[in-house]
């Protein structure tokens, strides 16, 4: 979209969406008497999840369910899919099925279908992400957010003989990397603001949640605040990385795709990112890439993860049964699960599922780290990525990203960022 102005891009997007919506709405429960059920499906695209990936996934389902006709809608940005769904709802074009869209706000307003226990029997964590005791999003995948991917050659050249296991060792690695002429961390931002807060997500998850696993639930009950010492200390640790030049201030202007490419181009030694990066790490591997758990202060094992991210279905879908069938068929199809592993590095949370034997070395390393954490009961929520009753209030994820960018650029101190988050939380409440 670099050749279009933002206003032009939005205008074009609106035109395309309107056309797609009309196509979806023009078909009732039958199509010319053929019995075809028309549904709309909101997706998003990333360097891993290309148009071809989504088209193939849709085709696998519709080949087995020929009575379902799918009109694909695509969010303008990878990280803006929830906001985009809100826009479509407000304009009367709410999609029938959506993937990786937060149910918060939509569910409480009665816009989403609540999945029944029998429909969730094949999922490992059927009670993940409850909203007032009901389950609106299929708990399809687990994602570790964030492990730290690193350039093994840069580590070796800087004299780092092993990946860090605690915060002190991580800072020591940063010192050595910077002394060798290498920027320690690759971060991002731009239109994909989550890339700015990925490191902060790791710090809060292992430091704050590692000590108080239900911290965000307590925040919803006003028992804790962002300005409390533990959370402010996490903000300060993040700010320190930028202050010492371990994160470049200019990184916040780089979108997600460019951020990933920057790491693959060797513009930094460490890339904290969700485990979905493993897919491209294995596919492209321009150098030897390792992975380690985000380090805690004392070296204790704490692994942030999120299980969910699956389909949500509009409660008011004209062809509700078809929408539900499509969503379940999409999420439970073995070929689709294998494709999601290879294309997006996901860990399917489906009973009896095991990843394909030919998955790459980076994915396997991350998968093993997660399984080790599961066996030791060391998994906590991934801050900023939670949904439902134990997640951020609607709209707050963007505020966390904004605070992270301000900490990287030095526009806010840790105390100021904490106050800002408390203020925005009060507004969101």
């Amino acid at each position: 979209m670099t050749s279009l102005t933002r206003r032009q891009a939005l205008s074009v997007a609106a035109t395309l969406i309107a056309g797609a919506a009309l196509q979806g709405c023009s078909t009732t429960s039958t199509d010319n008497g053929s019995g075809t059920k028309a549904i709309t499906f909101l997706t998003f695209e990333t360097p891993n999840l290309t148009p071809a990936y989504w088209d193939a996934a849709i085709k696998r389902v519709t080949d087995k369910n020929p009575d379902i006709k799918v009109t694909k809608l695509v969010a303008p940005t990878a990280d803006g899919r929830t906001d985009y769904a809100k826009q479509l709802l407000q304009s009367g074009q709410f999609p029938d099925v959506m993937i990786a869209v937060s149910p918060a706000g939509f569910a409480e307003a009665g816009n989403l279908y609540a999945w029944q226990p029998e429909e969730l029997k094949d999922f490992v964590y059927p009670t993940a992400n409850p909203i007032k005791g009901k389950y609106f999003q299929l708990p399809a995948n687990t994602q570790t957010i964030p492990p730290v991917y690193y350039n093994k050659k840069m580590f070796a050249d800087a004299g780092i003989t092993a990946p860090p296991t605690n915060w002190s060792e991580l800072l020591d690695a940063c010192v050595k990397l910077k002394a060798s002429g290498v920027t320690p961390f690759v971060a991002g931002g731009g239109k994909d603001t989550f890339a700015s807060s990925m490191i902060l997500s790791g710090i809060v998850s292992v430091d704050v949640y590692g000590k108080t696993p239900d911290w965000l639930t307590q925040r919803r009950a006003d028992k804790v605040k962002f300005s409390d010492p533990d959370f402010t200390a996490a903000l300060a640790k993040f700010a320190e990385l930028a202050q010492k030049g371990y994160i470049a201030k200019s990184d916040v202007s780089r979108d997600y795709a460019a951020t990933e490419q920057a790491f693959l181009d060797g513009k930094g030694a460490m890339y904290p990112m969700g485990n979905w990066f493993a897919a491209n790490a294995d596919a492209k591997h321009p150098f030897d890439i390792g992975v380690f758990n985000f380090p805690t202060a004392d070296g204790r094992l704490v692994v942030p993860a999120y299980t969910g991210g699956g389909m949500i279905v509009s409660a008011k879908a004209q062809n509700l049964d078809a929408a539900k069938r499509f969503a379940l068929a999409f999420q439970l199809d073995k070929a689709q699960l294998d494709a999601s592993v290879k294309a997006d590095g996901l860990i399917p949370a489906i009973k009896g599922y095991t990843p394909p034997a030919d998955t790459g070395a980076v994915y396997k390393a991350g998968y093993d780290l997660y399984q080790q954490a599961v066996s030791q009961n060391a998994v906590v929520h991934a801050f900023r990525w939670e949904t439902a009753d134990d997640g951020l209030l609607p709209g707050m994820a963007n505020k966390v990203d904004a605070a992270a960018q301000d900490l990287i650029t030095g526009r806010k101190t840790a105390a100021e960022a904490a106050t800002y988050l408390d203020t925005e939380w009060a507004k969101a409440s």
Side-chain angles (χ1 to χ4, degrees):
M1 269 196 215
T2 53
S3 63
L4 296 175
T5 67
R6 177 173 175 77
R7 180 175 296 178
Q8 288 171 327
L10 289 173
S11 176
V12 170
T15 301
L16 292 174
I17 294 158
L22 287 173
Q23 180 181 351
C25 292
S26 64
T27 304
T28 60
S29 60
T30 60
D31 185 8
N32 296 326
S34 66
T36 300
K37 309 293 192 303
I39 64 170
T40 53
F41 174 36
L42 177 62
T43 68
F44 61 100
E45 294 172 358
T46 71
N48 297 8
L49 303 179
T50 63
Y53 168 88
W54 292 114
D55 291 343
I58 292 168
K59 187 175 186 299
R60 276 192 292 271
V61 177
T62 54
D63 280 351
K64 295 179 180 178
N65 297 270
D67 64 316
I68 299 176
K69 178 182 178 182
V70 178
T71 295
K72 182 181 70 171
L73 306 176
V74 180
T77 66
D79 195 40
R81 50 191 180 267
T82 298
D83 287 339
Y84 188 59
K86 291 177 183 177
Q87 295 173 22
L88 294 176
L89 175 64
Q90 291 168 358
S91 64
Q93 302 175 66
F94 197 47
D96 298 319
V97 182
M98 293 147 276
I99 192 166
V101 168
S102 172
F106 298 117
E108 294 89 335
N111 293 306
L112 298 183
Y113 171 75
W115 295 100
Q116 300 303 303
E118 178 62 21
E119 294 170 321
L120 300 175
K121 61 181 175 57
D122 294 314
F123 296 88
V124 176
Y125 305 107
T127 58
N129 307 311
I131 297 179
K132 300 186 183 302
K134 296 182 179 181
Y135 306 95
F136 297 91
Q137 186 165 41
L138 294 176
N141 303 293
T142 295
Q143 297 168 310
T144 51
I145 311 173
V148 182
Y149 298 93
Y150 69 100
N151 185 317
K152 289 187 176 181
K153 184 177 187 303
M154 286 182 175
F155 267 47
D157 290 346
I160 304 167
T161 58
T165 59
N166 59 48
W167 190 254
S168 177
E169 291 178 359
L170 179 69
L171 293 180
D172 182 61
C174 288
V175 170
K176 292 177 179 177
L177 288 164
K178 191 176 180 185
S180 71
V182 172
T183 301
F185 287 103
V186 172
K191 63 181 172 46
D192 301 311
T193 56
F194 75 93
S196 297
S197 63
M198 191 59 72
I199 298 172
L200 177 61
S201 293
I203 296 172
V204 171
S205 298
V206 302
D207 282 3
V208 180
Y209 291 4
K211 178 180 178 182
T212 310
D214 66 340
W215 190 92
L216 201 50
T217 302
Q218 293 190 34
R219 183 66 190 88
R220 280 179 167 251
D222 282 330
K223 294 180 179 179
V224 296
K225 293 186 180 297
F226 295 106
S227 53
D228 287 350
D230 284 350
F231 200 96
T232 302
L235 294 171
K237 286 176 72 170
F238 178 61
E240 181 187 16
L241 297 178
Q243 291 164 2
K244 291 185 174 180
Y246 302 154
I247 306 170
K249 294 181 179 180
S250 59
D251 280 7
V252 299
S253 64
R254 188 166 51 201
D255 68 14
Y256 168 57
T259 302
E260 178 178 289
Q261 193 59 49
F263 176 69
L264 294 172
D265 288 343
K267 294 182 179 178
M270 291 181 283
Y271 183 42
M273 183 50 62
N275 65 301
W276 52 82
F277 171 67
N280 267 359
D282 282 321
K284 298 181 179 180
H285 55 79
F287 45 81
D288 199 3
I289 297 173
V291 57
F292 58 91
N293 290 320
F294 202 96
T296 56
D298 58 4
R300 187 166 53 96
L301 180 63
V302 178
V303 173
Y306 167 72
T307 297
M311 305 281 202
I312 58 176
V313 170
S314 170
K316 301 172 184 176
Q318 188 173 33
N319 293 305
L320 180 59
D321 177 69
K324 292 191 297 177
R325 281 194 292 120
F326 174 81
L328 286 168
F330 186 104
Q331 304 279 213
L332 298 175
D333 179 71
K334 176 65 164 61
Q336 170 56 24
L337 295 173
D338 289 347
S340 72
V341 168
K342 294 183 177 181
D344 210 31
L346 299 178
I347 303 172
I350 307 300
K351 292 178 181 178
Y353 178 81
T354 55
D358 60 348
T359 52
V362 179
Y363 176 87
K364 288 179 180 177
Y367 182 85
D368 289 345
L369 288 174
Y370 171 69
Q371 294 300 333
Q372 179 186 18
V374 171
S375 69
Q376 296 185 31
N377 196 29
V379 178
V380 298
H381 288 308
F383 171 67
R384 184 207 174 278
W385 296 86
E386 315 98 317
T387 57
D389 286 346
D390 53 4
L392 289 166
L393 294 176
M396 279 301 299
N398 291 337
K399 306 305 180 183
V400 169
D401 298 343
Q405 292 194 358
D406 285 345
L407 290 169
I408 291 174
T409 59
R411 288 192 294 261
K412 282 187 175 70
T413 65
E416 289 169 342
T419 299
Y420 164 77
L421 291 174
D422 279 329
T423 299
E424 294 301 320
W425 184 274
K427 292 178 183 176
S429 297

